[in-house]
Amino acid sequence: MKIAVCVKQIPDPAAPAKMDANYNLARDTKLIMDESDSYGVEMALQLVDKAGAGEVVLFSMAPGEEVSGLRNALAMGAHRAVLISDPRLAGSDALSTAKVLAKAIGRESFDLVLAATESSDGYTGTTPVQIAELLDLPSVTFAKGIEVKGESLIVARQTEAGFDEIEVPTPALVTVTAGVVEPRYPNFKGIMAAKSKPVEKLSIDDLAFSPDSVGASGARETITSIRPAESRGAGTVVVDEGDGFAKIIEYLESLKVI
Amino acid sequence: MQTKIPESLLTIRSQERQMLYQMVARFTKEYIVPNIEGWEDQGEVPRSLHKKAAELGILSVGFPQNVGGIGNIIDSMIVSEAIIQSGGSSGICAALLTLGIAIPHIIASNDQYLIEKYAKPTMSGDLIGSLAITEPNAGSDVAAITTSATRDGDRFLINGAKTYITSGYRADFVVVALKTSPTLGHKGISLVVVEKGTEGFTVTRKLEKLGWHCSDTAELSFSNVIVTSKNLIGEEGSGFSAIMANFATERLSMASQALASAKRCIDLTMTWVQNRKVFGTELSKMQLTRQKLAEMQRQYTVARTFLYDTAIRYVNGEKVIMEVAMAKNTAVYAMEAIINQALQLHGGMGYMRENEIERHYRDGRIMGIGGGTNEIMNEIIAKQLQI
C-alpha cells in the first residue's frame, strides 16, 4: 500500500507568533511538524503495517528548505519525503498550496493521500479537498478510522452525532481528525535512521509552474486585516461557605444543563 | 562507542539529539512523572518501565552498534538530562539506567555467550543487571576487596559480601568484582556474573537511604556460591582494568545528572520566584533574588560547558582522565550550591516532601560520593599533576 501524507511544517505554536506586513505568519523561525499531521502519519504507518508492505511518502511545502518537521515524521517510520521549497512560493494561499502539493503528489501513483483536517496555523481546512479536486480523487473528511477492503476503503467519518461509515474506492484522499490515533514515539534508532532517509527537494521550476501562478502573485485570497482574538473573561469566583453544592446546582440550572 | 564524525559543539546540538531529548522528555512526562511519587514510596521502579524504555531504544543508547547499541556517552548524557529536566530524577536514572555500569564490561570482553545471555536481554528490558564492587570494608579502594572466587576446574566457588549495590534488590544478575588471586592485589581481581537464584547467593538487605528512594540498593551475600567459569568476564585478573576503563563514562554520566538536577531546580525556582509575592512585590523583582539566580545560572553554565568539552574530547579519543575528574567535581559543587539556593528561595515549601526541590536536594548528595568521591577525584587530579 502506497500512501502520501501531507505534512505541514509550522512555527512552534509554543513560541509567540509574528506577522509580516501582509498579515501572513512569519515563517523565518524554526519550523516543527504540525501536531495535527502526526495523526495522519501514524494512520499511514498503521495501514502500511497492516498491509504487510508499502511505502509512506511525506509531502511538504515550506520555506528555507526546512526539513526538521519532516525528519520527525521520518523518525516515526515514514520512508521518504518530498519537500517543495522555493522563495517564489512565499505568500501562497490555500489554493496555491493545494496546486503545488497536488502536482508533486501527482508525479507518482498512490493508493491513498492523507492530510489533517486543517493546519494548526492557517486553519482554512480547505487545502486537502482542493488537492483531491486537482488530482481528481474522491475525498472523505474527518476520518476517525480507515480500513482497507479490497480496492476500497471503509472510512469512519466523524459527525456531531457519531460517525458515518463511508466506502470509497482507491485512490482517494482522506483527512484525519486530530486525536483519533496515538502517534508513536520516534525511537532513537528511528531518529538516527531518519537522518539518512531520502528527502527530495523540488522548486516550482521542477513542477513546471510559472512564477505568477503561485506564491503571492498567484494568490486569489488576500488578508485585509487581522485583530487579536478576544480574551476570555475572568469568570466568576464562588466562595464555598458550606453551600458550594447548592451554588453549583443553581449555576447549572441557569444554563439549563440540569 | 566512537562515532564516525568527530564530536563537536555542532554535533552535540544536532537535530537528531534534539529529537532524542524530546522523545525522552515525552516518555518521562507520560510514564515517569505521574508515577515517581509512588515509586519513591515503594523503593523501586517497575520492570514495565525498563520494557517501555527499551521499546523506545533508550536502553540501547551509548552501547556499541555490534551489540545493537546506538550513539555514545554524549547521547547517554542527553537521555539523563531529558529525564531529570522533565520531572524525573537522578534516582530514576540510577534505577532505570543501571545497565550503564552493569553490562559495559561484558560488551567490552566480546564474549558472545555472555553478551547474548545477559547484555542484550538487559538492553531489551527483559533483564535487570547490576554491578557489585563495594564491600563493607572496601569502597574507593577497589584493590582491597576480599570477596573471593576459587577455581575448581570449570567452576568458581564464591564467598564474600557486597554492599551499596544499585538495583541489587531487583537484579536478575550481578556482575561481581572478586579476587581470583588473593595475593596479587589489583591484578588478582576478576569480574564474574552471578545469577539471581544461584544457591548461596542472597540479598541480605534492601538498604534505606537519604535519597534515590525509587532506586533499590542492596546488600548481597555469597556463601559457597558455585558459578560456571563461562561466567568469567574477560581474562582472569582483568577485572580491575575493566572497572577502571568504565569509570570515565560513569563519571561523565553522574556529572551530567548532577547538572541536569541543578538545571531542573533553576527552572522550578524561576517559576516560583515569578509567582511568589513578598512584601507586595514578586520575589523575582528583588535584587537579592536576581543576584542569586544569576549566580546559579552562571555556576550551571560554566560547569556544563566544561563537562561537554570534556565529553567531546573523550569521545574523540583524547586522554582526559584528569579533566573527567575535574568535570565531575565541578558539576557536583555547582549542583550542591544551586540546589541549596533553590531550596532557600522556595522557603518552607522547598523543605516539603511534596516539592520536587526537596527530592533533588536529597538525591544530589550521592553525586559527590558515587562513581568516585570528590576526594578521589582530587587524588586523580593531583596524580596527573605529578606532585
Side-chain angles (χ1 to χ4, degrees):
Chain A
M1 188 170 197
K2 194 171 164 189
I3 304 175
V5 185
C6 299
V7 172
K8 191 166 185 183
Q9 302 181 86
I10 63 168
D12 190 342
K18 285 190 299 175
M19 294 287 177
D20 67 15
N22 299 321
Y23 306 124
N24 285 315
L25 196 60
R27 296 177 187 278
D28 53 354
T29 53
K30 185 180 176 329
L31 303 180
I32 61 168
M33 175 166 70
D34 188 342
E35 198 200 335
S36 20
D37 288 321
S38 60
Y39 305 101
V41 174
E42 177 60 37
M43 204 169 259
L45 292 170
Q46 287 184 12
L47 286 167
V48 166
D49 280 349
K50 211 165 179 184
E55 195 180 22
V56 175
V57 187
L58 311 167
F59 288 85
S60 186
M61 179 175 125
E65 305 207 341
E66 181 64 57
V67 290
S68 51
L70 289 174
R71 290 278 175 224
N72 205 59
L74 291 169
M76 285 171 72
H79 299 81
R80 60 187 168 90
V82 178
L83 173 73
I84 309 102
S85 194
D86 195 310
R88 293 167 289 180
L89 287 169
S92 289
D93 60 5
L95 180 58
S96 295
T97 308
K99 281 193 223 167
V100 170
L101 289 171
K103 199 122 184 216
I105 294 166
R107 297 180 311 150
E108 304 176 48
S109 61
F110 289 94
D111 301 303
L112 172 64
V113 180
L114 287 177
T117 51
E118 58 185 3
S119 63
S120 308
D121 57 348
Y123 286 109
T124 72
T126 54
T127 306
V129 283
Q130 289 173 338
I131 293 172
E133 187 61 27
L134 290 162
L135 290 172
D136 199 21
L137 296 176
S139 66
V140 183
T141 52
F142 298 103
K144 68 194 256 326
I146 304 172
E147 272 184 47
V148 180
K149 186 182 157 194
E151 297 295 304
S152 301
L153 301 171
I154 307 294
V155 181
R157 182 182 192 275
Q158 208 151 35
T159 65
E160 276 188 22
F163 64 91
D164 299 332
E165 205 174 89
I166 296 171
E167 186 166 346
V168 60
T170 55
L173 180 141
V174 178
T175 72
V176 179
T177 309
V180 293
V181 282
E182 174 76 22
R184 67 193 63 187
Y185 280 72
N187 70 29
F188 192 37
K189 285 191 179 165
I191 290 169
M192 296 307 280
K195 209 170 154 181
S196 50
K197 286 182 177 173
V199 178
E200 186 185 5
K201 292 180 183 170
L202 302 175
S203 68
I204 60 169
D205 303 324
D206 296 320
L207 295 173
F209 281 110
S210 65
D212 56 357
S213 65
V214 289
S217 48
R220 297 184 195 177
E221 289 171 33
T222 47
I223 302 166
T224 52
S225 72
I226 54 167
R227 60 188 166 84
E230 279 175 30
S231 56
R232 289 169 63 180
T236 314
V237 177
V238 178
V239 180
D240 182 11
E241 290 162 340
D243 58 349
F245 70 98
K247 286 176 176 163
I248 291 169
I249 289 171
E250 197 181 310
Y251 177 69
L252 293 175
E253 279 175 347
S254 75
L255 293 177
K256 302 200 187 315
V257 175
I258 54 173
Chain B
M1 288 196 200
Q2 303 265 325
T3 51
K4 285 171 198 160
I5 307 164
E7 293 285 0
S8 68
L9 287 175
L10 283 179
T11 59
I12 62 168
R13 293 182 189 136
S14 69
Q15 196 192 346
E16 288 70 32
R17 284 184 165 143
Q18 289 175 32
M19 286 165 74
L20 171 66
Y21 184 97
Q22 285 158 9
M23 181 266 281
V24 178
R26 185 177 153 194
F27 161 76
T28 302
K29 285 174 192 160
E30 283 184 23
Y31 294 95
I32 295 174
V33 174
N35 300 309
I36 188 167
E37 287 303 328
W39 297 338
E40 289 271 305
D41 290 343
Q42 289 155 19
E44 57 188 71
V45 301
R47 280 172 185 268
S48 57
L49 187 70
H50 292 254
K51 201 67 197 161
K52 188 70 207 171
E55 277 172 27
L56 298 173
I58 294 172
L59 300 188
S60 302
V61 174
F63 295 112
Q65 282 183 11
N66 62 351
V67 293
I70 189 162
N72 59 35
I73 178 65
I74 291 174
D75 299 286
S76 303
M77 288 161 67
I78 288 167
V79 167
S80 303
E81 285 177 6
I83 290 175
I84 296 168
Q85 290 169 195
S86 309
S89 67
S90 58
I92 291 283
C93 294
L96 178 62
L97 307 174
T98 320
L99 80 170
I101 54 172
I103 62 171
H105 317 95
I106 294 176
I107 294 169
S109 74
N110 205 23
D111 182 325
Q112 292 309 309
Y113 166 75
L114 294 177
I115 287 171
E116 293 297 329
K117 191 162 184 197
Y118 299 109
K120 286 187 179 176
T122 308
M123 290 163 70
S124 64
D126 294 306
L127 291 181
I128 293 171
S130 78
L131 174 68
I133 299 176
T134 304
E135 297 184 356
N137 294 313
S140 295
D141 182 8
V142 177
I145 61 168
T146 56
T147 297
S148 65
T150 315
R151 201 186 249 280
D152 174 18
D154 59 359
R155 300 186 305 177
F156 285 110
L157 182 69
I158 301 171
N159 280 290
K162 294 285 175 185
T163 194
Y164 313 146
I165 308 309
T166 300
S167 296
Y169 185 77
R170 294 178 306 146
D172 300 298
F173 68 91
V174 183
V175 171
V176 186
L178 32 69
K179 284 272 177 74
T180 38
S181 305
T183 54
L184 287 181
H186 71 268
K187 286 182 182 165
I189 294 174
S190 303
L191 294 173
V192 174
V193 183
V194 180
E195 268 187 49
K196 185 185 223 167
T198 310
E199 201 180 333
F201 168 39
T202 48
V203 175
T204 40
R205 216 153 50 106
K206 189 175 182 181
L207 299 166
E208 293 190 357
K209 312 179 292 296
L210 170 69
W212 278 11
H213 286 176
C214 63
S215 165
D216 59 295
T217 307
E219 194 176 81
L220 311 175
S221 165
F222 303 87
S223 177
N224 293 322
V225 177
I226 295 169
V227 170
T228 164
S229 60
K230 284 202 287 188
N231 281 14
L232 172 70
I233 301 171
E235 298 289 316
E236 219 172 291
S238 68
F240 188 81
S241 55
I243 292 165
M244 294 299 138
N246 200 49
F247 264 144
T249 53
E250 185 184 355
R251 287 167 186 163
L252 290 169
S253 293
M254 289 196 74
S256 82
Q257 289 176 31
L259 289 176
S261 307
K263 178 68 168 67
R264 176 69 176 172
C265 289
I266 292 174
D267 291 346
L268 292 169
T269 306
M270 290 286 283
T271 308
W272 171 261
V273 298
Q274 285 172 55
N275 291 310
R276 177 78 171 170
K277 287 202 169 151
V278 282
F279 306 114
T281 185
E282 284 168 23
L283 193 51
S284 61
K285 298 276 190 287
M286 304 188 96
Q287 192 180 33
L288 189 74
T289 309
R290 299 169 68 80
Q291 290 283 319
K292 280 190 177 185
L293 271 164
E295 182 62 12
M296 289 156 74
Q297 184 65 33
R298 179 195 65 76
Q299 288 170 312
Y300 165 73
T301 305
V302 172
R304 188 172 184 276
T305 304
F306 181 66
L307 172 63
Y308 268 89
D309 181 74
T310 304
I312 288 167
R313 291 175 62 191
Y314 172 76
V315 174
N316 288 340
E318 285 188 51
K319 280 198 173 156
V320 282
I321 297 168
M322 179 169 78
E323 287 79 2
V324 168
M326 287 175 171
K328 181 169 183 280
N329 276 7
T330 306
V332 169
Y333 298 153
M335 175 211 66
E336 286 176 345
I338 290 166
I339 298 181
N340 190 42
Q341 283 297 357
L343 193 150
Q344 191 70 24
L345 283 166
H346 275 75
M349 180 49 96
Y351 195 66
M352 295 298 114
R353 185 56 56 96
E354 68 191 78
N355 190 286
E356 196 183 321
I357 303 268
E358 186 260 4
R359 185 168 66 232
H360 292 301
Y361 187 87
R362 286 184 290 106
D363 284 356
R365 189 60 188 84
I366 191 66
M367 294 299 178
I369 299 170
T373 61
N374 298 337
E375 293 74 19
I376 291 287
M377 294 304 104
N378 279 337
E379 277 301 316
I380 292 167
I381 297 165
K383 197 173 169 190
Q384 296 294 314
L385 289 173
Q386 299 181 335
I387 50 173

